Coordinates of all heavy atoms in Angstrom, one line a residue:
Y1 N 46.6 99.2 21.0 CA 45.8 98.0 21.0 C 44.6 98.0 22.0 O 43.5 97.8 21.6 CB 46.6 96.7 21.2 CG 47.1 96.0 20.0 CD1 48.1 96.5 19.2 CD2 46.6 94.8 19.6 CE1 48.6 95.8 18.1 CE2 47.0 94.1 18.5 CZ 48.0 94.6 17.8 OH 48.5 93.9 16.7
K2 N 45.0 98.4 23.2 CA 44.0 98.5 24.3 C 42.9 99.6 23.9 O 41.7 99.3 24.1 CB 44.6 98.8 25.6 CG 43.7 98.7 26.8 CD 43.5 97.3 27.2 CE 42.8 97.2 28.6 NZ 42.6 95.8 29.0
A3 N 43.3 100.7 23.5 CA 42.4 101.8 23.2 C 41.5 101.4 22.0 O 40.3 101.7 22.1 CB 43.2 103.1 22.8
H4 N 42.0 100.8 21.0 CA 41.2 100.5 19.8 C 40.2 99.4 20.2 O 39.1 99.4 19.8 CB 42.2 99.9 18.7 CG 41.4 99.5 17.5 ND1 41.0 98.2 17.3 CD2 41.0 100.2 16.4 CE1 40.4 98.1 16.1 NE2 40.4 99.3 15.5
E5 N 40.7 98.4 21.0 CA 39.8 97.3 21.4 C 38.6 97.9 22.2 O 37.5 97.4 22.1 CB 40.6 96.3 22.2 CG 39.8 95.2 22.8 CD 40.6 94.3 23.7 OE1 41.3 94.8 24.6 OE2 40.5 93.1 23.6
Y6 N 39.0 98.8 23.1 CA 38.0 99.5 24.0 C 36.9 100.2 23.1 O 35.7 100.0 23.3 CB 38.7 100.5 24.9 CG 37.9 101.1 25.9 CD1 36.7 100.7 26.4 CD2 38.5 102.3 26.6 CE1 36.0 101.3 27.4 CE2 37.8 103.0 27.6 CZ 36.6 102.5 28.0 OH 35.9 103.1 29.0
L7 N 37.3 101.0 22.2 CA 36.4 101.7 21.3 C 35.5 100.7 20.5 O 34.3 100.9 20.3 CB 37.1 102.7 20.4 CG 36.3 103.6 19.5 CD1 35.3 104.4 20.3 CD2 37.2 104.5 18.7
Q8 N 36.2 99.7 19.9 CA 35.6 98.8 19.0 C 34.5 98.0 19.8 O 33.5 97.6 19.2 CB 36.6 97.8 18.5 CG 36.1 96.7 17.6 CD 37.3 95.9 17.1 OE1 37.8 96.0 16.0 NE2 37.7 94.9 17.9
S9 N 34.7 97.7 21.1 CA 33.7 97.0 21.8 C 32.3 97.7 21.9 O 31.3 97.0 22.0 CB 34.2 96.8 23.3 OG 34.2 98.0 24.0
A10 N 32.3 99.0 21.7 CA 31.1 99.7 21.7 C 30.5 99.9 20.3 O 29.3 100.1 20.2 CB 31.3 101.1 22.4
T11 N 31.3 99.9 19.3 CA 30.8 100.3 17.9 C 30.6 99.1 17.0 O 30.0 99.3 15.9 CB 31.9 101.2 17.3 OG1 33.1 100.6 17.1 CG2 32.0 102.5 18.1
L12 N 31.0 97.9 17.3 CA 30.8 96.7 16.5 C 29.6 95.9 17.0 O 29.5 95.7 18.3 CB 32.0 95.9 16.4 CG 33.1 96.3 15.4 CD1 34.1 95.2 15.3 CD2 32.5 96.6 14.0
D13 N 28.8 95.4 16.2 CA 27.7 94.5 16.6 C 28.4 93.1 17.0 O 29.5 92.8 16.7 CB 26.7 94.2 15.5 CG 27.3 93.4 14.3 OD1 28.0 94.0 13.5 OD2 27.2 92.2 14.3
K14 N 27.6 92.4 17.8 CA 28.1 91.2 18.5 C 28.7 90.2 17.5 O 29.8 89.7 17.6 CB 27.0 90.5 19.3 CG 27.5 89.2 19.9 CD 26.4 88.6 20.8 CE 25.3 87.9 20.0 NZ 24.3 87.2 20.9
Y15 N 28.0 89.9 16.4 CA 28.4 88.8 15.5 C 29.7 89.2 14.7 O 30.6 88.4 14.5 CB 27.3 88.4 14.6 CG 26.1 87.8 15.3 CD1 25.0 88.5 15.5 CD2 26.3 86.5 15.9 CE1 23.9 87.9 16.2 CE2 25.2 86.0 16.6 CZ 24.1 86.7 16.8 OH 23.0 86.1 17.6
T16 N 29.7 90.5 14.3 CA 30.9 90.9 13.6 C 32.1 91.0 14.5 O 33.2 90.5 14.1 CB 30.7 92.4 13.0 OG1 29.6 92.3 12.1 CG2 31.9 92.8 12.2
L17 N 31.9 91.4 15.7 CA 33.0 91.5 16.7 C 33.5 90.1 17.0 O 34.8 89.8 17.0 CB 32.5 92.1 18.0 CG 33.6 92.1 19.1 CD1 34.8 93.0 18.8 CD2 32.9 92.7 20.4
H18 N 32.6 89.1 17.2 CA 33.1 87.7 17.5 C 33.8 87.1 16.3 O 34.8 86.4 16.5 CB 31.9 86.9 17.9 CG 31.3 87.3 19.2 ND1 30.3 86.6 19.8 CD2 31.7 88.2 20.1 CE1 30.0 87.2 21.0 NE2 30.8 88.1 21.2
E19 N 33.3 87.3 15.1 CA 34.0 86.8 13.9 C 35.4 87.5 13.8 O 36.4 86.8 13.4 CB 33.2 87.0 12.7 CG 33.6 86.2 11.5 CD 33.5 84.7 11.7 OE1 32.6 84.3 12.4 OE2 34.4 84.0 11.2
K20 N 35.4 88.7 14.0 CA 36.7 89.4 13.9 C 37.7 88.9 14.9 O 38.9 88.8 14.6 CB 36.5 90.9 14.1 CG 37.7 91.8 13.9 CD 37.4 93.3 14.0 CE 38.7 94.1 13.6 NZ 38.4 95.5 13.7
Q21 N 37.3 88.6 16.1 CA 38.1 88.1 17.2 C 38.7 86.7 16.7 O 39.9 86.4 17.0 CB 37.4 88.0 18.5 CG 37.1 89.3 19.1 CD 36.2 89.2 20.4 OE1 35.4 88.3 20.5 NE2 36.3 90.2 21.3
K22 N 37.9 85.9 16.1 CA 38.4 84.6 15.6 C 39.4 84.8 14.5 O 40.4 84.2 14.5 CB 37.2 83.8 15.1 CG 36.3 83.2 16.3 CD 35.3 82.3 15.7 CE 34.1 83.0 15.1 NZ 33.0 82.1 14.7
L23 N 39.1 85.7 13.5 CA 40.0 85.9 12.4 C 41.3 86.6 12.8 O 42.3 86.6 12.1 CB 39.2 86.7 11.3 CG 38.2 86.0 10.6 CD1 37.4 86.9 9.6 CD2 38.7 84.8 9.8
S24 N 41.3 87.3 14.0 CA 42.5 88.0 14.4 C 43.6 87.0 14.6 O 44.8 87.3 14.4 CB 42.2 88.8 15.7 OG 42.0 87.9 16.8
I25 N 43.2 85.8 15.0 CA 44.3 84.7 15.2 C 44.9 84.3 13.9 O 46.1 84.2 13.8 CB 43.7 83.5 16.0 CG1 43.2 83.9 17.4 CG2 44.7 82.4 16.0 CD1 42.4 82.8 18.1
T26 N 44.0 84.2 12.9 CA 44.5 83.8 11.6 C 45.4 85.0 11.0 O 46.4 84.7 10.4 CB 43.3 83.6 10.6 OG1 42.5 82.5 11.1 CG2 43.8 83.2 9.2
F27 N 44.9 86.2 11.2 CA 45.7 87.4 10.7 C 47.1 87.4 11.4 O 48.1 87.6 10.7 CB 44.9 88.6 11.1 CG 45.4 89.9 10.3 CD1 44.6 90.4 9.3 CD2 46.6 90.5 10.6 CE1 45.0 91.6 8.6 CE2 47.0 91.6 9.9 CZ 46.2 92.1 8.9
A28 N 47.1 87.1 12.7 CA 48.4 87.1 13.4 C 49.3 86.0 12.9 O 50.5 86.3 12.7 CB 48.2 86.9 14.9
E29 N 48.8 84.8 12.6 CA 49.6 83.7 12.1 C 50.1 84.0 10.7 O 51.3 83.8 10.4 CB 48.8 82.4 12.1 CG 48.5 81.9 13.5 CD 47.8 80.6 13.5 OE1 47.1 80.3 12.5 OE2 47.8 79.9 14.5
V30 N 49.3 84.6 9.9 CA 49.7 85.0 8.5 C 50.9 86.0 8.5 O 51.9 85.8 7.8 CB 48.5 85.5 7.7 CG1 49.0 86.2 6.4 CG2 47.5 84.4 7.4
V31 N 50.7 87.0 9.4 CA 51.8 88.0 9.5 C 53.0 87.4 10.1 O 54.2 87.7 9.6 CB 51.3 89.2 10.3 CG1 52.4 90.2 10.5 CG2 50.1 89.9 9.6
Y32 N 52.9 86.7 11.2 CA 54.0 86.1 11.9 C 54.8 85.1 10.9 O 56.0 85.1 10.9 CB 53.5 85.3 13.1 CG 54.6 84.7 13.9 CD1 55.2 85.5 15.0 CD2 55.1 83.4 13.8 CE1 56.2 85.0 15.8 CE2 56.1 82.9 14.6 CZ 56.7 83.7 15.6 OH 57.7 83.2 16.4
N33 N 54.1 84.5 10.1 CA 54.7 83.5 9.1 C 55.2 84.1 7.9 O 55.6 83.4 6.9 CB 53.7 82.4 8.8 CG 53.3 81.5 10.0 OD1 54.0 81.5 11.0 ND2 52.3 80.7 9.8
G34 N 55.3 85.5 7.8 CA 55.9 86.1 6.7 C 55.0 86.2 5.4 O 55.5 86.5 4.3
M35 N 53.7 86.0 5.6 CA 52.8 86.0 4.4 C 52.1 87.3 4.2 O 50.9 87.3 3.8 CB 51.9 84.9 4.5 CG 52.5 83.5 4.6 SD 51.4 82.2 5.1 CE 50.2 82.3 3.7
W36 N 52.8 88.5 4.5 CA 52.1 89.7 4.3 C 51.6 90.0 2.9 O 50.5 90.4 2.7 CB 53.0 90.9 4.7 CG 52.3 92.2 4.7 CD1 52.2 93.1 3.7 CD2 51.6 92.8 5.8 NE1 51.5 94.2 4.0 CE2 51.1 94.0 5.3 CE3 51.3 92.4 7.1 CZ2 50.3 94.8 6.1 CZ3 50.5 93.2 7.9 CH2 50.0 94.4 7.4
F37 N 52.5 89.7 1.9 CA 52.1 89.9 0.5 C 51.5 88.6 0.0 O 52.0 87.9 -0.9 CB 53.4 90.2 -0.3 CG 54.0 91.5 0.2 CD1 55.3 91.4 0.9 CD2 53.4 92.7 0.1 CE1 55.9 92.6 1.4 CE2 54.0 93.9 0.6 CZ 55.3 93.8 1.2
S38 N 50.3 88.3 0.5 CA 49.6 87.1 0.1 C 48.1 87.4 -0.1 O 47.6 88.4 0.5 CB 49.7 86.0 1.1 OG 49.0 86.3 2.3
P39 N 47.4 86.7 -1.0 CA 46.0 86.9 -1.1 C 45.2 86.8 0.2 O 44.2 87.5 0.4 CB 45.6 85.8 -2.2 CG 46.8 85.5 -2.9 CD 47.9 85.6 -1.9
L40 N 45.6 85.9 1.0 CA 44.9 85.7 2.3 C 45.0 86.9 3.2 O 44.0 87.4 3.7 CB 45.4 84.4 3.0 CG 44.8 84.2 4.4 CD1 43.2 84.1 4.3 CD2 45.3 82.9 5.0
R41 N 46.2 87.5 3.3 CA 46.3 88.7 4.2 C 45.5 89.8 3.6 O 44.9 90.6 4.3 CB 47.8 89.0 4.3 CG 48.1 89.9 5.5 CD 47.8 91.4 5.3 NE 48.5 91.9 4.1 CZ 48.1 93.0 3.4 NH1 47.1 93.7 3.9 NH2 48.8 93.4 2.3
E42 N 45.6 90.0 2.3 CA 44.8 91.0 1.6 C 43.3 90.9 1.8 O 42.6 91.8 2.1 CB 45.1 91.1 0.1 CG 46.5 91.5 -0.2 CD 46.9 91.5 -1.6 OE1 46.0 91.0 -2.4 OE2 48.0 91.8 -2.0
A43 N 42.8 89.6 1.8 CA 41.4 89.4 2.0 C 41.0 89.6 3.4 O 39.9 90.2 3.7 CB 41.1 87.9 1.6
L44 N 41.9 89.2 4.4 CA 41.6 89.5 5.8 C 41.6 91.0 6.0 O 40.7 91.5 6.8 CB 42.7 88.8 6.6 CG 42.6 87.3 6.7 CD1 43.9 86.8 7.4 CD2 41.4 86.8 7.4

């Protein structure tokens, strides 16, 4: 996680990175709640 985040900080533009950081919370909740096989997880 740390290594990927480090590399990503240099290769993603600001707006995509910030939107991804917000959506990471939604992704985590979807996975935590057992919704891996859902349209939302696939879209994310």
Side-chain angles (χ1 to χ4, degrees):
Y1 263 74
K2 188 77 169 182
H4 180 269
E5 178 186 46
Y6 186 17
L7 181 59
Q8 179 180 262
S9 69
T11 60
L12 279 188
D13 68 276
K14 179 175 77 171
Y15 296 107
T16 302
L17 177 61
H18 290 181
E19 194 62 34
K20 186 174 185 180
Q21 289 172 334
K22 288 186 283 186
L23 288 175
S24 70
I25 297 174
T26 303
F27 196 109
E29 289 180 339
V30 167
V31 175
Y32 187 85
N33 292 346
M35 299 169 61
W36 185 271
F37 302 109
S38 68
L40 177 55
R41 201 279 307 164
E42 291 175 359
L44 290 169

